[in-house]
Amino acid sequence: MIPDKAPKENVFYGSEELKKEAHIPSFEKYKELYLKSIENPDEFWGDIAKDFFWKTKHSGQFLDYNFDVTKGEIFIKCMDGATTNICYNLLDRNVHEKKLGDKVAFYWEGNEPGDELTVTYRELLQRVCQFANVLKSQGVKKGDRVSIYMPMVVELVVAMLACARIGAVHSIVFAGFSAESLCERIMDSECSLLITADGFYRGDKLINLKLLADEAMQKCRDKGFPMKRCIVLKHLSKEVEESPLGSQSPPAKRACPDLQQEKQTGRVKKTRPVPQVPWNPEVDLCWHTLVRGAPDECEPEWCESEDPLFILYTSGSTGKPKGVLHTISGYMLYTATTFKLVFDYQPDDVYWCTADIGWITGHSYITYGPLANGATSVLFEGLPTYPDVSRMWEIVDKYQVTKFYTAPTAIRLLMKYGIEPVQKYKRESLKILGTVGEPINPEAWQWYYNVIGEKRCPIVDTFWQTETGGHVLTPLPAATPLKPGSATFPFFGVVPAILNESGEELEGPSEGYLVFKQPWPGMMRTVYGDHQRFETVYFKKFPGYYVTGDGCRRDKDGYYWITGRIDDMLNVSGHLLSTAEVESALVEHEAVAEAAVVGRPHPVKGESLYCFVTLTEGATYNRTLEAELKKQVREKIGAIATPDCIQEAPGLPKTRSGKIMRRLLRKIACGERDLGDISTLADSSVIEQLFQNRCRTPV
């Protein structure tokens, strides 16, 4: 599985200086520990678990599981019987035992340069305890689900850790999702409380988040699911409208003390238009008012290892998002370990992951993994191109960032502007670069390595999923010889295989389905409320294996290369989107009888959405309808799902049994005339019509 020796040619290596202090300094050391992790996982992970606090220890097998649906229900258990609290391990121990109370946990950098805030571990612990007490005062208890719909602010971290402290289950919804998407996730997870903010800026665009939250809550009520409480953070507003719950008097306006204090210390320095915040005193509660009177100490709730920690929704091939559920102990161990070793974390590092906490990358590698290691991180609210395309490198120099983790989409975007914006800043502090969300093409890899890192920073190209909880295929910066575009080798405890269509394992250089043969501590445990779907999606196709849904190639040196999705999913700017979900949004329009969605290569996004629509009798395709359809998709799913191209299709290529041949639609979208075998096509005349009407909008 792992080659005896690392290749010497056509690879890139970390520096000798990096190797001197690295946790895993050589390929030989990696291979030694890897073999231990798969041959004796109980001992390997048991040694790591000793670095954490356990109220009660586990007994028996460290990892227990069944991956074979033919042998009964699928399950994964880690340290079954142990009790702990992840918030206690992330904050209390760092403050009280490791004496890191005065160390910076987060440098918050706002959308506008100059908007900033510094939070130490002691301050973060106090804030989390205060908000945990707020949640308890609102009746939230262990096992309750709490929905969080917030921008990239420190309070988002506070809210998720406060949930973890009292044993509540957080369900964070990316603030770029629509009201409909938020409603769907609230209802599916049966959340008892929503936490949101008044609004935020994305570049120069104001997002009125509270309006979207109100719309989502109303949709929930209309569907018979009453949402009775919403806690609102005043992120932009200078005044708060509030009145006591149940009061008939009009709301009173008053300055929010916490906001005023933070303004004086420099959090918000520029005057900007603020959103008009609707306030319903029967439902809405002011974050700042609640926190002001809350004690700053809160005893943690001691939880079982396999108690749920959070639910995070990811697109499903059926069109209905899946509530991926992660549990406490295994996820804590895995995110802490992957963060420490993949980024070779050292105590003096300043780490910056540019992802949003609304995605799994933000959960694992902004909040849980870094805090478990006592790391200092940058928390960024803005965009890489605002107010100019040098913003990221200005921030790197400002905070002396040493470890930098971003998406290939961002790298390709910045490549378009050349090297001059990069060279305005020194970037001398950088030691390790990373990518996440999608495979990075070799050209972007080389630019990242040569221009951003100036040929001295190894790139950790990490492959993983919402479902895996953390990195599963990844280089280790001082140990792994790097090939541009390859995720290289498995992380500790991860056993990959490549299967053909018949489910046979392929050896040596090969290409097929990427699967995993045994669990690791951080992998998902179920789909919330639908364990049958969990088994069907991930384990039914190839019994005995976890099926990723991705294709993979292994080269002659044993390196793994992710080739893209095999199922009906698209990877747009690192975000998985379901073709069925977009098609469902399109056909809700009265003018659309049928829709089919495929991906088309995009130089920045990786993939873009190319949609074919067949209209109802009497409907006419024009710019107005196109705009309506794009708006419909944005409102149903979110801006990230906005189609790049919509093509009218008088008919769709189908088999005689009526199945749409998406393979042909992908060829048409890309303008490729080599269609392969079309003998099963019911009506071949439709192909030429579709080619003639192709959407040629430049991408």
Side-chain angles (χ1 to χ4, degrees), residues 375-431:
T376 295
S377 299
V378 175
L379 185 65
F380 181 47
E381 184 189 31
L383 295 174
T385 55
Y386 180 83
D388 60 57
V389 296
S390 296
R391 183 72 188 280
M392 296 176 102
W393 320 124
E394 183 266 329
I395 294 172
V396 166
D397 279 8
K398 178 178 179 179
Y399 297 110
Q400 291 295 288
V401 172
T402 56
K403 312 290 170 70
F404 180 74
Y405 194 35
T406 195
T409 298
I411 299 303
R412 290 192 293 265
L413 174 64
L414 295 172
M415 282 175 65
K416 292 168 44 177
Y417 299 98
I419 64 174
E420 184 179 351
V422 181
Q423 293 180 340
K424 287 173 61 178
Y425 296 93
K426 294 181 179 179
R427 296 158 284 109
E428 292 174 344
S429 59
L430 288 173
K431 295 180 180 179

Side-chain angles (χ1 to χ4, degrees), residues 178-473:
S178 67
E180 180 69 31
S181 293
L182 175 59
C183 166
E184 186 174 35
R185 287 155 174 76
I186 288 173
M187 292 183 62
D188 187 78
S189 56
E190 303 172 297
C191 288
S192 59
L193 176 74
L194 173 63
I195 305 169
T196 190
D198 51 0
F200 66 102
Y201 275 86
R202 182 176 287 126
D204 57 7
K205 182 181 180 183
L206 173 62
I207 309 296
N208 195 324
L209 206 60
K210 178 61 163 55
L211 281 179
L212 292 169
D214 284 353
E215 183 183 344
M217 292 179 74
Q218 187 58 52
K219 287 177 180 290
C220 289
R221 296 184 196 106
D222 292 343
K223 295 177 181 180
F225 187 84
M227 286 294 292
K228 297 177 180 178
R229 292 286 185 274
C230 179
I231 296 177
V232 185
L233 173 76
K234 297 291 182 173
H235 176 46
L236 298 179
S237 308
K238 295 181 177 64
E239 291 185 326
V240 177
E241 288 189 359
E242 63 169 329
S243 61
L245 285 175
S247 171
Q248 299 302 311
S249 60
K253 284 189 176 182
R254 65 163 185 80
C256 176
D258 289 13
L259 278 182
Q260 290 298 314
Q261 181 182 3
E262 288 187 346
K263 186 178 179 184
Q264 291 167 11
T265 58
R267 177 174 184 175
V268 178
K269 291 184 175 178
K270 295 193 176 182
T271 301
R272 298 168 295 198
V274 297
Q276 296 297 312
V277 182
W279 199 264
N280 180 355
E282 299 294 331
V283 175
D284 298 326
L285 299 161
C286 174
W287 173 296
H288 306 279
T289 302
L290 294 171
V291 166
R292 190 178 65 238
D296 61 6
E297 292 185 1
C298 178
E299 181 69 17
E301 181 76 29
W302 301 109
C303 302
E304 298 283 339
S305 277
E306 287 300 318
D307 281 345
L309 174 62
F310 66 83
I311 301 164
L312 185 58
Y313 284 86
T314 186
S315 292
S317 58
T318 64
K320 183 180 186 296
K322 304 186 296 286
V324 171
L325 187 142
H326 283 283
T327 54
I328 294 169
S329 294
Y331 178 81
M332 176 176 70
L333 293 178
Y334 200 70
T335 54
T337 307
T338 48
F339 174 81
K340 177 181 178 179
L341 300 183
V342 173
F343 298 109
D344 196 51
Y345 168 71
Q346 304 294 336
D348 59 349
D349 277 331
V350 176
Y351 162 81
W352 182 17
C353 171
T354 68
D356 193 288
I357 292 178
W359 305 109
I360 188 62
T361 302
H363 281 57
S364 297
Y365 299 116
I366 293 179
T367 300
Y368 289 107
L371 292 177
N373 284 275
T376 295
S377 299
V378 175
L379 185 65
F380 181 47
E381 184 189 31
L383 295 174
T385 55
Y386 180 83
D388 60 57
V389 296
S390 296
R391 183 72 188 280
M392 296 176 102
W393 320 124
E394 183 266 329
I395 294 172
V396 166
D397 279 8
K398 178 178 179 179
Y399 297 110
Q400 291 295 288
V401 172
T402 56
K403 312 290 170 70
F404 180 74
Y405 194 35
T406 195
T409 298
I411 299 303
R412 290 192 293 265
L413 174 64
L414 295 172
M415 282 175 65
K416 292 168 44 177
Y417 299 98
I419 64 174
E420 184 179 351
V422 181
Q423 293 180 340
K424 287 173 61 178
Y425 296 93
K426 294 181 179 179
R427 296 158 284 109
E428 292 174 344
S429 59
L430 288 173
K431 295 180 180 179
I432 293 171
L433 305 174
T435 63
V436 60
E438 57 186 308
I440 184 169
N441 54 302
E443 181 187 8
W445 194 101
Q446 292 279 6
W447 190 85
Y448 197 24
Y449 181 80
N450 293 326
V451 177
I452 305 303
E454 297 181 329
K455 301 183 180 181
R456 57 186 169 75
C457 301
I459 297 173
V460 287
D461 175 5
T462 61
F463 169 77
W464 58 298
Q465 305 170 313
T466 304
E467 294 89 340
T468 71
H471 308 137
V472 285
L473 300 178

